């Protein structure tokens, strides 16, 4: 599911979107995490394969759980749903002990969170990608929202929740700024709040949507779009035979985002 955000000008937004290159939040995460952990990393994110697999399991487990009606959720242990999605024991994890430690910690934290999280509500956005044009930046902003709820606070649009296996300050900052731009472009108002859960260290980061200056977020997303554009151009040059040292210079010269 997913699509163009908003309702009153959806057709116009679709037409605008054709003019712009798309800036995806998962590309932002790739850049912010890439190179942070090189050993045993997967080909697409820079993360260890075990963490990629666990993040996938967490996202789909939450989708399975919150797709249920509230009265059914109360009778459905999330551990049962997580078991169906959890990666098999294999060489992705550094050891069998690590496998069980991560599985136990994630299951315990998810169980604790969902026991008090919007018990009687149905999410308005659930593991969906939505996109909105940002004409002033010449981009189309695309974001995947794991969970988002209607806000009951006047002048606020959504209460957004993001779940990470491990927290990362750069990823959280990027997500906040992108979500702030998205909410203002799609709804004309800020989010009520943005919550980011870090499952393995049992932390919850809570941000007031109105406390993030829109101009600061616009500037951040503008720089991010330039960063990603240059990174992709450098990747194409490497593909067509540019020496690695030249490609690295193109990627790293003058970005200053982190």
């Amino acid at each position: 599911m997913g699509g163009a955000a908003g309702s009153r000008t959806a057709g116009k937004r679709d037409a605008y979107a054709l003019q712009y290159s798309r800036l995806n939040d998962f590309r932002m995460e790739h850049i912010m995490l890439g190179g942070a952990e090189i050993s045993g990393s997967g080909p697409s994110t820079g993360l260890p394969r075990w963490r990629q697999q666990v993040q996938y399991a967490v996202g789909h487990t939450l989708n399975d759980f919150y797709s249920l009606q509230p009265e059914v959720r109360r009778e459905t242990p999330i551990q049962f749903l997580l078991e169906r999605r959890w990666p098999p024991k294999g060489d992705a994890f550094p050891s069998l002990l690590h496998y069980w430690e991560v599985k136990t910690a994630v299951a315990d934290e998810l169980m604790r969170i969902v026991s008090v999280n919007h018990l009687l509500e149905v999410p308005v956005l659930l593991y969906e990608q939505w996109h909105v044009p940002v004409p002033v930046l010449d981009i189309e902003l695309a974001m995947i929202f794991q969970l988002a709820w209607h806000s009951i606070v006047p002048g606020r649009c959504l209460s957004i929740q993001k779940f990470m296996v491990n927290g990362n300050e750069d990823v959280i900052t990027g997500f906040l700024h992108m979500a702030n731009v998205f909410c203002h472009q799609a709804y004309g108002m800020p989010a009520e709040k943005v919550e980011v859960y870090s499952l393995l260290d049992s932390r919850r980061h809570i941000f007031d949507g109105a406390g993030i200056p829109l101009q600061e977020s616009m500037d951040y997303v503008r720089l991010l779009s330039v960063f990603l554009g240059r990174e992709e151009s450098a990747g194409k040059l490497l593909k067509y035979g540019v020496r690695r040292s030249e490609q690295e210079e193109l990627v790293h010269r003058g970005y200053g985002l982190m």
Side-chain angles (χ1 to χ4, degrees), residues 152-166:
I152 60 174
V153 178
R156 306 292 184 92
C157 59
L158 296 171
S159 180
I160 298 169
Q161 295 180 314
K162 180 177 178 63
F163 297 80
M164 303 176 65
V165 176
N166 285 99

Side-chain angles (χ1 to χ4, degrees), residues 32-186:
M32 295 307 182
L33 294 172
E37 299 183 52
I38 298 175
S39 178
S41 64
S44 61
T45 67
L47 286 175
R49 276 200 305 126
W50 71 264
R51 198 183 299 181
Q52 293 181 49
Q53 292 176 359
V54 172
Q55 187 68 58
Y56 177 91
V58 167
H60 282 278
T61 297
L62 289 166
N63 180 57
D64 294 342
F65 186 76
Y66 283 100
S67 294
L68 303 172
Q69 290 300 309
E71 59 272 16
V72 180
R73 271 188 249 146
R74 289 197 297 268
E75 306 299 327
T76 305
I78 196 167
Q79 307 97 298
F80 171 75
L81 301 177
L82 181 65
E83 188 67 36
R84 299 193 310 175
R85 297 291 189 175
W86 196 258
K89 295 187 288 290
D91 59 4
F93 290 81
S95 69
L96 185 59
L97 176 62
H98 183 256
Y99 174 90
W100 286 111
E101 287 178 342
V102 171
K103 185 175 183 180
T104 300
V106 169
D108 288 349
E109 189 65 8
L110 284 178
M111 183 169 55
R112 184 188 67 81
I113 292 168
V114 303
S115 67
V116 294
N117 189 47
H118 297 271
L119 297 180
L120 301 179
E121 299 177 59
V122 175
V124 294
L125 302 178
L126 177 60
Y127 210 49
E128 298 174 81
Q129 184 181 72
W130 292 87
H131 51 90
V132 64
V134 188
V136 69
L137 301 182
D138 288 327
I139 64 167
E140 180 193 30
L141 184 58
M143 301 195 69
I144 297 173
F145 292 102
Q146 291 169 313
L147 280 173
W149 311 85
H150 272 308
S151 172
I152 60 174
V153 178
R156 306 292 184 92
C157 59
L158 296 171
S159 180
I160 298 169
Q161 295 180 314
K162 180 177 178 63
F163 297 80
M164 303 176 65
V165 176
N166 285 99
N168 177 283
E169 184 177 341
D170 294 314
V171 171
I172 293 172
T173 298
F175 182 79
L176 280 175
H177 285 303
M178 295 179 80
N180 193 33
V181 171
F182 182 94
C183 288
H184 278 277
Q185 290 296 126

